[in-house]
Amino acid sequence: GNVGIGTTSPTGKLSVDTASGRSFWIDDRFSRPSATWYNGGTTGFIDAISNSNFEVGTLSAHSLSLVTNSSERMTINSSGNVGIGTTSPGYKLEVHSGTTDKDFYVDLSGDPTIGTNWGAGNNIELYDNTLGAMTFSTGASNYPFLFNVGNVGIGTTSPTGKLSVDT
């Protein structure tokens, strides 16, 4: 049988419910041990999948965060984006230093991009653009350096030789 504390209908083998709608239960969800927390719409869990796998997550469209010293340090949002130093990452990996002018990101939507941002448009990006070339750009210009099939372009998107410079 199931044991309930604060409830007459326990959800799992051991269920603890509060008057405010929060609950916790230990069960054998999917025939394996698990612990589940519910907080008025947000459901989180810890689950032992097998001898070698372990899950921690949410069962709802909410973020999962790692917290130290009562502050969120790393977040995985419901889209799968990971943020370190931010609670709302907009890229697959986004790292913030704590100031708005020193960030790093990896964006895999559209043109795959690795970039940094030092504020006021002073960014550096390295990406594979729609031209089929590896592009290194800064906030000052869209394509100051372009690497395309062995040719390098500075200030041009279509280098015609090993090194093409357009001033």
Side-chain angles (χ1 to χ4, degrees):
N2 296 343
V3 175
I5 300 172
T7 180
T8 56
S9 9
T11 308
K13 298 292 181 193
L14 172 62
S15 294
V16 179
D17 291 358
T18 66
S20 61
R22 294 179 179 98
S23 57
F24 166 78
W25 62 93
I26 297 174
D27 204 351
D28 57 351
R29 187 171 68 100
F30 308 119
S31 300
R32 55 188 187 246
S34 66
T36 306
W37 293 263
Y38 177 78
N39 186 13
T42 303
T43 304
F45 68 91
I46 297 175
D47 196 355
I49 298 175
S50 66
N51 291 337
S52 60
N53 293 318
F54 188 71
E55 286 183 339
V56 174
T58 66
L59 297 175
S60 50
H62 292 87
S63 297
L64 175 67
S65 298
L66 295 178
V67 177
T68 64
N69 199 24
S70 299
S71 296
E72 291 184 38
R73 304 300 181 177
M74 185 171 98
T75 300
I76 303 171
N77 69 17
S78 61
S79 298
N81 294 343
V82 176
I84 299 172
T86 178
T87 58
S88 54
Y91 304 102
K92 284 299 172 190
L93 174 62
E94 187 169 345
V95 181
H96 289 251
S97 66
T99 62
T100 57
D101 62 350
K102 291 185 176 64
D103 303 328
F104 171 79
Y105 58 92
V106 176
D107 183 6
L108 299 177
S109 63
D111 299 332
T113 304
I114 298 173
T116 63
N117 180 9
W118 289 301
N122 297 320
N123 59 325
I124 297 174
E125 294 181 330
L126 179 62
Y127 61 98
D128 182 7
N129 67 21
T130 54
L131 299 172
M134 183 60 73
T135 303
F136 175 80
S137 71
T138 68
S141 177
N142 223 8
Y143 301 104
F145 301 99
L146 181 82
F147 308 94
N148 188 2
V149 193
N151 295 338
V152 176
I154 300 175
T156 178
T157 59
S158 53
T160 56
K162 293 293 179 194
L163 176 61
S164 295
V165 179
D166 185 8
T167 57

